[in-house]
Amino acid sequence: MAITKRLRDTALKLAFAATLPTSVYAQQSDWSYQATIYLFTPETEVSQETPNGTVEGTLAFSDALENLDLAFMGTFAATNGRWSILADYNYTDLSFSNDTPGPASSGVETSLTTQFLSGYLGYRVLTSDTSTVDLAGGFRWFRTQTDFTVLPGAAPGRMVNVDESWTDPVIGVRARMRFNERWSGTGFFDYGGFASDSETWQVLLTADYAINDRWLLRGGYRYISFDHEINGGDFKFDQSGPLFGATYRF
């Protein structure tokens, strides 16, 4: 009888151990995740007010890849029921030159390294058979190291350097529409800063194609803007243009 009891207890322990991973997985399976790597090749406009006037540089969309020294762009999202978490990181290192009007200068050379990280907590407020709408709140951190070299002309040359970082609160809305089994669309808008000396906003529109249950291809358009006061002068940074990405869902 003692042997039978020990065998029974051992069998129960083994059965419990076998079901434990399944139970843990069931608890974790409420979360779904997706990671995206994307290429954003925009037109870039950057400017800084100074006591001697505003210095600005513009990189056309057609020259974006040629003048791109280094870049990394990616997003990560996690969803559980109505709740979602989203992070978007962008790093670019650009250098380009522009002509300037008038004889005072023979041109401006711009070298800029920018990073921004946006983080959101979202809540789904609308769900239907073909569409969803989420409201989101969070932050956007921005850092820039920008060097303007004003080349000499009738006036002597000069350097303008901007090295600054800041964080703004943001609110946003995201809408998704499913057209069929393969095609869907996403629209995202956010706004932040809420102060006279700092403002940021963006619009993102994409068409999404599902290759299978795991992989999704995206193509679309993005406009993102930063306006922040630095040392009493207005710094502006705007990017707009197409983007292309691949998303893995797990």
Side-chain angles (χ1 to χ4, degrees), residues 10-249:
T10 301
L12 289 173
K13 290 177 181 180
L14 290 173
F16 175 77
T19 60
L20 182 59
T22 303
S23 176
V24 171
Y25 177 79
Q27 293 175 1
Q28 294 177 342
S29 65
D30 291 338
W31 285 96
S32 60
Y33 307 92
Q34 61 180 36
T36 301
I37 297 294
Y38 64 93
L39 177 64
F40 183 33
T41 56
E43 177 177 286
T44 300
E45 297 180 357
V46 58
S47 66
Q48 173 67 48
E49 287 183 347
T50 75
N52 297 319
T54 299
V55 183
E56 57 187 1
T58 300
L59 175 64
F61 159 68
S62 58
D63 300 324
L65 286 177
E66 180 181 348
N67 290 271
L68 184 65
D69 298 324
L70 182 64
F72 176 81
M73 307 160 192
T75 66
F76 179 80
T79 303
N80 187 340
R82 290 181 175 269
W83 293 97
S84 60
I85 300 171
L86 174 66
D88 175 24
Y89 177 74
N90 184 291
Y91 175 94
T92 54
D93 186 357
L94 298 167
S95 56
F96 52 93
S97 59
N98 298 110
D99 295 329
T100 53
S105 168
S106 58
V108 175
E109 294 180 349
T110 304
S111 174
L112 66 92
T113 301
T114 60
Q115 302 178 70
F116 59 83
L117 172 65
S118 303
Y120 310 89
L121 177 64
Y123 183 76
R124 185 151 297 167
V125 296
L126 176 64
T127 303
S128 71
D129 293 338
T130 58
S131 61
T132 61
V133 177
D134 299 336
L135 298 181
F139 69 92
R140 178 172 296 127
W141 170 79
F142 181 85
R143 176 169 177 77
T144 185
Q145 294 172 284
T146 305
D147 297 322
F148 298 99
T149 303
V150 182
L151 302 177
R158 58 193 174 99
M159 292 279 295
V160 176
N161 306 107
V162 180
D163 189 347
E164 193 72 35
S165 65
W166 63 89
T167 303
D168 288 319
V170 293
I171 57 174
V173 58
R174 177 176 60 182
R176 290 176 174 172
M177 177 72 71
R178 182 169 57 84
F179 305 117
N180 54 46
E181 291 184 357
R182 296 288 186 182
W183 286 99
S184 60
T186 302
F188 185 82
F189 171 80
D190 71 23
Y191 177 85
F194 307 102
S196 59
D197 62 348
S198 192
E199 181 183 56
T200 181
W201 62 277
Q202 75 164 326
V203 174
L204 172 65
L205 301 171
T206 65
D208 312 324
Y209 179 78
I211 299 175
N212 51 44
D213 291 340
R214 295 292 187 184
W215 286 99
L216 191 74
L217 297 181
R218 301 178 184 271
Y221 175 87
R222 182 186 210 175
Y223 186 103
I224 188 164
S225 175
F226 300 86
D227 190 338
H228 190 79
E229 186 176 302
I230 299 175
N231 298 325
D234 197 26
F235 173 84
K236 292 184 178 180
F237 177 83
D238 299 316
Q239 288 188 319
S240 60
L243 61 81
F244 307 93
T247 297
Y248 180 71
R249 298 177 290 192

